[in-house]
């Protein structure tokens, strides 16, 4: 009986997968499978979608920008240069809508249900059409998103080379380049204990070989940055972990990456992307301050910057604004993975940023930083599981771009208005005194301060004016 039940489950599962693959097609839906014989189909992937244009705030067209006007100058710089928007290949072209409880919900018409090299090439063509229609010049990738893993390192590299050659050809005559590339060191079971921090030396070597290749191809495509996100660089329990040794290994790994970057003449910025946990219980690049301390300890401070992701910020108990400011005041703000989390959900939901207040604070940091080039705004964000139309991919990016564009306009308005910086200046005005100057210049020891305290008597303490600060902030929205 048990055997029969198991057999029936198998039958049902294969029937279900047949139904699923019967739904997927190999070229756009409106061609009704006419291009299904071609391995490397080269038609239009988004036939119903026009070039996305700026139509202004009153437009009701979901396939138009309301706030993002690429060529318009804000604070002396074109909007497109403030943002340097990028599409994340892994979410937009590899996201399936699957979650730990449910199967994939997205069956893009160009997918044939395989992870073949020809499918990878078709996706790459779709990526370039998507970027062009959106008017975005950058995209980001992991090595294994864009090309299938092989049985050996050599085979994986060969697959990658084939897809990279196509990307090189497709970017000809356009400004499209990778904003950054990275190596996927978290999906394959070999990385279950980490890559650079694995307890197995062979895994460390394999991870190094993978990063070496990913850096080479990023450089070959004219990529501007290279990212390290250590999703499995951390621990599940300290009882079985030599944390000091693992952190030393991670530093050696980064040193080798710096040396190799210089050797191949890659001038892109190396970026560490902090995240506190998920998938690992504790990740070593917990937040911006932890990553900065790591870089300082190991003498790597001048070789790296940080890629701040807003949803990672909230997972570490901070706001995105806090993480951006921590990176900025340490001279480490290099790139933004522009997304947001869900206040009720509590994990890395990677949603498109749609909160104008949050976006305004993000842009306050970016303006103070003088921009983030050669970094940019990478939409490390995905459609919700229930959004399944091809046009949703466009709508989501347009909405995310418009949100930060509104943020930029608001932040600029606030700067020109001047009341907020006046409030902050006033709050610290006691520090403009002679004593304040002496302290800030390191010329006031404890004995001198005690003398001053006695001289002044009980100090006056002024209001922090938090509500007024919020009122001014609101009036710029
Ligand atoms: C995971 C995450 C990654 C990195 C690149 O949370 O953000 O996709 O951005 O590896
Ligand atoms: Co990210």
């Amino acid at each position: 009986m048990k055997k029969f039940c198991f057999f029936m489950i198998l039958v049902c599962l294969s029937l279900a997968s047949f139904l699923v693959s019967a739904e997927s097609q190999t070229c756009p839906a409106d061609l009704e499978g006419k291009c299904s014989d071609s391995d490397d189909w080269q038609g239009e992937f988004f036939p119903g979608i026009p070039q996305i244009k700026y139509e202004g705030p009153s437009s009701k067209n979901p396939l138009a920008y309301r706030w993002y006007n690429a060529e318009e100058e804000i604070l002396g710089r074109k909007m497109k240069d403030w943002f340097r928007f990028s599409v994340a290949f892994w979410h937009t072209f590899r996201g399936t809508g699957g979650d730990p409880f449910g199967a994939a919900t997205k069956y893009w018409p160009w997918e044939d249900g395989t992870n073949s090299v020809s499918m990878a090439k078709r996706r790459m063509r779709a990526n370039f059409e998507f970027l062009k229609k959106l008017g975005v010049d950058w995209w980001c990738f992991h090595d294994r998103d864009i090309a299938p893993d092989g049985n050996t390192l050599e085979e994986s590299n060969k697959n990658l080379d084939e897809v990279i050659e196509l990307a090189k050809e497709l970017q000809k005559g356009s400004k499209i380049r990778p904003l950054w590339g990275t190596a996927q060191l978290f999906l394959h079971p070999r990385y279950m204990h980490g890559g650079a921090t694995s307890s197995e030396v062979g895994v460390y070597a394999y991870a190094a070989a993978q990063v070496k290749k990913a850096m080479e191809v990023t450089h070959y495509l004219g990529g501007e940055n290279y990212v390290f996100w250590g999703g499995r660089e951390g621990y599940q329990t300290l009882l079985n972990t030599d944390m000091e040794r693992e952190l030393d290994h991670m530093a050696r790994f980064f040193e080798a990456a710096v040396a190799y970057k210089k050797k191949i003449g890659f001038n892109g910025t190396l970026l560490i992307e902090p995240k506190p946990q998920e998938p690992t219980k504790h990740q070593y690049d917990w937040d911006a301050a932890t990553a900065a301390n790591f870089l300082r300890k190991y003498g790597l401070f001048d070789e790296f910057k940080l890629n701040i992701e807003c949803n990672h910020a909230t997972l570490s108990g901070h706001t995105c604004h806090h993480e951006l400011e921590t990176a900025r005041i340490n001279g480490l703000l290099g790139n933004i993975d522009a997304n947001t989390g869900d206040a009720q959900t509590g994990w890395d939901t990677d949603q498109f940023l749609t909160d104008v207040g949050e976006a305004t604070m993000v842009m306050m940091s970016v303006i103070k930083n003088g921009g983030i080039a050669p970094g940019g705004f990478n939409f490390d964000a995905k459609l919700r599981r229930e959004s399944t139309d091809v046009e949703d991919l466009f709508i989501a990016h347009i909405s995310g771009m418009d949100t930060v564009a509104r943020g930029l306009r608001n932040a600029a308005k606030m700067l020109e208005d001047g009341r907020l910086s006046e409030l902050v200046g006033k709050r610290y005005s006691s520090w403009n005194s002679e004593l304040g100057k002496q302290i800030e210049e390191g010329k006031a020891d404890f004995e001198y301060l005690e003398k001053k305290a006695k001289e002044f008597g009980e100090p006056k303490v002024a209001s922090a004016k938090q509500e007024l600060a919020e009122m001014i902030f609101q009036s710029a929205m």
Side-chain angles (χ1 to χ4, degrees), residues 168-412:
K168 184 87 174 174
E169 191 189 310
L170 293 172
Q171 69 181 29
K172 263 187 210 149
S174 81
K175 284 193 182 149
I176 296 175
R177 297 288 180 273
L179 182 66
W180 48 262
T182 188
Q184 192 196 68
L185 304 180
F186 45 88
L187 185 70
H188 195 282
R190 85 171 66 85
Y191 294 120
M192 70 177 173
H193 308 303
T197 62
S198 176
S199 42
E200 304 293 334
V201 70
V203 174
Y204 180 102
Y206 206 105
Q210 214 182 304
V211 168
K212 173 181 174 287
K213 180 70 182 174
M215 282 176 92
E216 286 164 9
V217 300
T218 304
H219 180 41
Y220 180 66
L221 290 180
E224 305 215 29
N225 306 271
Y226 185 88
V227 161
F228 293 88
W229 170 65
R232 299 212 186 265
E233 313 295 9
Y235 59 80
Q236 300 294 359
T237 170
L238 280 175
L239 293 175
N240 69 1
T241 302
D242 187 337
M243 181 159 71
E244 189 175 18
R245 205 166 179 186
E246 289 198 1
L247 284 164
D248 287 351
H249 294 168
M250 195 159 91
R252 293 281 170 253
F253 196 90
F254 286 147
E255 277 169 23
V258 170
Y260 193 65
K261 165 191 145 160
K262 291 180 180 164
K263 185 166 186 187
I264 62 173
F266 175 45
N267 295 322
T269 311
L270 301 182
L271 297 159
I272 291 181
E273 183 177 329
K275 184 175 183 182
Q277 72 275 115
E278 198 203 358
T280 305
K281 173 173 139 167
H282 181 104
Q283 281 159 216
Y284 292 136
D285 302 320
W286 185 270
D287 61 2
T290 312
N293 181 57
F294 171 88
L295 292 173
R296 277 204 176 92
K297 175 179 172 184
Y298 290 102
L300 289 162
F301 202 82
D302 296 332
E303 304 289 356
F304 283 80
K305 287 205 163 152
L306 300 180
N307 175 27
I308 300 298
E309 177 165 327
C310 293
N311 203 164
H312 296 178
T314 47
L315 285 178
S316 63
H318 304 303
T319 58
C320 193
H321 196 196
H322 168 94
E323 286 295 84
L324 292 170
E325 285 296 281
T326 303
R328 183 183 72 75
I329 64 181
N330 280 288
L332 289 174
L333 180 52
N335 193 81
I336 299 178
D337 267 9
N339 65 10
T340 196
D342 182 290
Q344 280 164 281
T345 310
W347 63 80
D348 196 14
T349 55
D350 282 342
Q351 291 163 214
F352 282 84
L353 184 58
T354 54
D355 180 326
V356 179
E358 191 179 353
T360 304
M361 290 190 223
V362 165
M363 293 316 298
M364 283 163 70
S365 288
V366 172
I367 292 171
K368 275 193 186 158
N369 201 58
I372 48 171
F377 280 66
N378 170 50
F379 283 110
D380 192 355
K382 62 185 172 202
L383 292 180
R384 258 63 70 89
R385 186 162 190 268
E386 305 76 12
S387 298
T388 52
D389 289 344
V390 169
E391 73 156 18
D392 294 335
L393 288 171
F394 283 88
I395 293 171
H397 283 83
I398 292 167
S399 175
M401 289 161 78
D402 265 345
T403 304
V404 285
R406 277 181 92 169
L408 173 62
R409 290 175 189 276
N410 293 344

Side-chain angles (χ1 to χ4, degrees), residues 16-26 104-109 111:
S17 73
F18 169 74
L19 287 177
V20 163
S21 50
E23 262 181 53
S24 61
Q25 294 151 43
T26 55
T105 58
K106 298 180 209 318
Y107 299 100
W108 305 131
E111 290 286 332

